[in-house]
Amino acid sequence: MNSTQEWQSVTWFEVDEHQAGQRIDNFLFSRLKGVPKSRIYRLIREGQVRVNKKRIKAETKLAIGDQIRVAPIRYEQKDETAAPVSDKVAQSLLSRVVYEDEGLMVVNKPSGIAVHGGSGVAYGLIEGLRAATGKKYLELIHRIDRDTSGLVMISKKRSVLKTLQDMLREHKIKKTYAAVVKGVVSLDKQLIDAPLHRYELSNGERRVRVSKEGKDSKTQWNVAERFMHATLVYASPLSGRTHQIRVHGLSIGHPLVGDDKYGHETEYKGPKPRRLCLHAMRLDIPGYPPIEAPLPEDMQNIVAQLRAQKKD
């Protein structure tokens, strides 16, 4: 059954104790299987998703007993058969767990896999881990882009989900990313302070730009190593905006190497990567030991080639 048939009438959901505290967009991503994320965001914006008969925003948090109404969803979609998660893929993802206790799992996600299924993606990281562990309750605490590699926090308990999402909202968790950016960054350290506004292209794809109408956004950049044509930067977002590091880099003239959405037209004479050179390398969470994931092999190779250019 394709999504047009499955969701062509009004759909109702009731929030239980396991789902309370989730954002409405994340809730719908996991339940409206096959519906593109861009379509879900549009439904929310247009008031076609109501919670207790009221209009809501994508970031609205749910409470036990909330009644969610989703208007009929009608759109054309290619006939796609969602493939089950293979044992090989599931076990491969399980082998990438770098930290685990009774309530928290942290996974070193490879580039190229989404954190969850949808928008034409049969399955993502969370579906793969549910298949690998057999656990019904595993929930994403936060998200990183499909093309970004690195650390993703996943809760195994409802209480941990709420606690860590509260910490994220209060900026108590420090996330550090490694990024290879175009050009030679002059300042060793800098705070990029530029408000970001999210908008949508005509095809429904989301983009972000610096705009005074946007939300307050800050990123700390520290130079780790300079090369002839690029710089290795450690970036810590002090706010959690979509594509924040990528757009902030573009805003100061240093877009990320391998970024096909922002700054791809900027000249770059270094080695060409196959993907976005952005890696979530470290998490500092109050009450937990520092959690780290080294640079993946493909980014290590890019850095090695850039060093060789520097010597030449």
Side-chain angles (χ1 to χ4, degrees):
M1 179 184 295
N2 81 17
S3 299
T4 306
Q5 296 170 316
E6 189 171 359
W7 311 110
Q8 65 183 0
S9 58
V10 171
T11 306
W12 289 89
F13 299 101
E14 182 172 348
V15 178
D16 64 26
E17 60 181 0
H18 297 298
Q19 299 149 354
Q22 264 194 305
R23 286 170 49 131
I24 184 65
D25 55 352
N26 290 333
F27 179 93
L28 295 175
F29 291 157
S30 63
R31 282 153 187 85
L32 300 180
K33 298 297 184 183
V35 181
K37 287 186 285 184
S38 60
R39 186 70 181 97
I40 291 173
Y41 280 117
R42 189 176 297 127
L43 287 168
I44 293 171
R45 280 197 312 275
E46 293 174 353
Q48 297 188 60
V49 176
R50 301 282 176 123
V51 176
N52 302 329
K53 300 182 180 180
K54 297 179 181 177
R55 293 179 71 119
I56 41 80
K57 295 183 178 180
E59 60 268 25
T60 296
K61 296 287 184 70
L62 299 171
I64 295 174
D66 279 350
Q67 299 291 320
I68 301 169
R69 180 190 185 277
V70 182
I73 303 172
R74 299 184 180 91
Y75 66 98
E76 293 302 319
Q77 180 176 321
K78 295 178 182 177
D79 188 20
E80 296 175 348
T81 303
V85 181
S86 70
D87 289 341
K88 183 178 179 181
V89 169
Q91 293 306 315
S92 172
L93 292 175
L94 201 56
S95 72
R96 301 182 70 90
V97 174
V98 297
Y99 175 86
E100 186 171 11
D101 61 24
E102 62 180 11
L104 175 64
M105 177 187 294
V106 180
V107 183
N108 182 12
K109 184 187 81 67
S111 173
I113 183 169
V115 290
H116 52 65
S119 298
V121 179
Y123 61 84
L125 177 70
I126 192 68
E127 290 85 4
L129 289 170
R130 285 172 183 155
T133 62
K135 292 182 181 295
K136 186 175 181 181
Y137 185 82
L138 284 180
E139 294 290 345
L140 290 163
I141 295 172
H142 65 126
R143 292 172 286 178
I144 62 176
D145 294 338
R146 180 177 181 175
D147 293 333
T148 304
S149 59
L151 300 173
V152 178
M153 296 182 286
I154 295 165
S155 71
K156 299 162 66 177
K157 287 184 175 182
R158 169 76 193 89
S159 57
V160 172
L161 176 69
K162 185 176 187 310
T163 297
L164 294 188
Q165 286 187 333
D166 286 346
M167 284 186 182
L168 283 170
R169 189 172 58 254
E170 295 162 7
H171 312 301
K172 292 179 179 177
I173 296 175
K174 182 181 179 183
K175 295 187 281 187
T176 305
Y177 292 76
V180 180
V181 304
K182 296 178 181 179
V184 181
V185 179
S186 57
L187 297 175
D188 290 342
K189 296 182 179 182
Q190 61 185 305
L191 179 66
I192 305 172
D193 185 353
L196 298 178
H197 173 69
R198 191 165 66 183
Y199 64 101
E200 203 171 273
L201 300 178
S202 58
N203 63 3
E205 199 173 343
R206 285 182 297 160
R207 287 287 192 278
V208 177
R209 62 176 170 241
V210 172
S211 169
K212 50 186 180 180
E213 285 126 32
K215 294 183 178 179
D216 182 59
S217 306
K218 297 176 183 177
T219 306
Q220 179 65 48
W221 270 34
N222 297 332
V223 169
E225 189 172 355
R226 294 181 177 91
F227 313 105
M228 281 184 65
H229 304 295
T231 307
L232 175 63
V233 171
Y234 294 156
S236 294
L238 307 183
S239 46
R241 311 298 179 208
T242 301
H243 299 169
Q244 177 170 322
I245 294 172
R246 300 163 68 177
V247 179
H248 272 172
L250 176 65
S251 74
I252 62 168
H254 296 286
L256 273 61
V257 171
D259 196 336
D260 62 359
K261 290 183 172 68
Y262 304 102
H264 52 85
E265 69 285 348
T266 302
E267 185 180 19
Y268 168 65
K269 296 181 180 178
K272 303 296 190 291
R274 294 183 177 180
R275 57 97 161 189
L276 175 70
C277 286
L278 183 62
H279 176 70
M281 61 179 282
R282 180 174 170 124
L283 287 167
D284 291 285
I285 310 169
Y288 292 82
I291 302 170
E292 296 183 326
L295 273 185
E297 187 176 353
D298 56 354
M299 280 187 66
Q300 287 186 38
N301 290 338
I302 290 291
V303 169
Q305 292 176 62
L306 287 165
R307 285 182 183 137
Q309 283 186 334
K310 189 163 89 168
K311 289 177 182 176
D312 293 344

